[in-house]
Amino acid sequence: MHAFITQSSNLKVQSSLDTLEINPDTSIGIEEVRQIQHFLSRKPIQSEQNIVVIRQAHLLTLPAQHALLKTLE
């Protein structure tokens, strides 16, 4: 697994079946993290790996932060 962190808000990501982009309105909760877990549990279809982009990751709630950390471990 590869991780890439950037502060740039204008990062352009090519849309594909293997890309999941999280764009929160107010906050990112545990349900969005479960969506990420489900997305990452399947094999990629069009490319070599799945990509998840979390816009405004500072909006993760504390339970969502813990769940995401467990996913990355």
Side-chain angles (χ1 to χ4, degrees):
M1 177 174 21
H2 300 283
F4 178 71
I5 300 173
T6 182
Q7 294 292 329
S8 176
S9 61
N10 59 358
L11 178 69
K12 302 293 185 225
V13 178
Q14 184 179 1
S15 181
S16 77
L17 295 174
D18 300 326
T19 303
L20 174 65
E21 193 168 352
I22 305 294
N23 291 306
D25 290 330
T26 56
S27 66
I28 302 171
I30 194 79
E31 198 57 42
E32 285 85 359
V33 175
R34 287 186 182 132
Q35 180 184 4
I36 292 169
Q37 290 170 337
H38 182 266
F39 177 78
L40 292 175
S41 69
R42 66 167 183 79
K43 291 187 177 189
I45 298 169
Q46 293 178 330
S47 61
E48 294 181 23
Q49 56 195 3
N50 290 322
I51 299 171
V52 176
V53 177
I54 303 174
R55 306 269 184 199
Q56 301 180 22
H58 65 279
L59 296 177
L60 279 155
T61 62
L62 191 58
Q65 290 175 25
H66 292 299
L68 183 61
L69 180 62
K70 291 289 184 182
T71 301
L72 296 175
E73 290 178 340

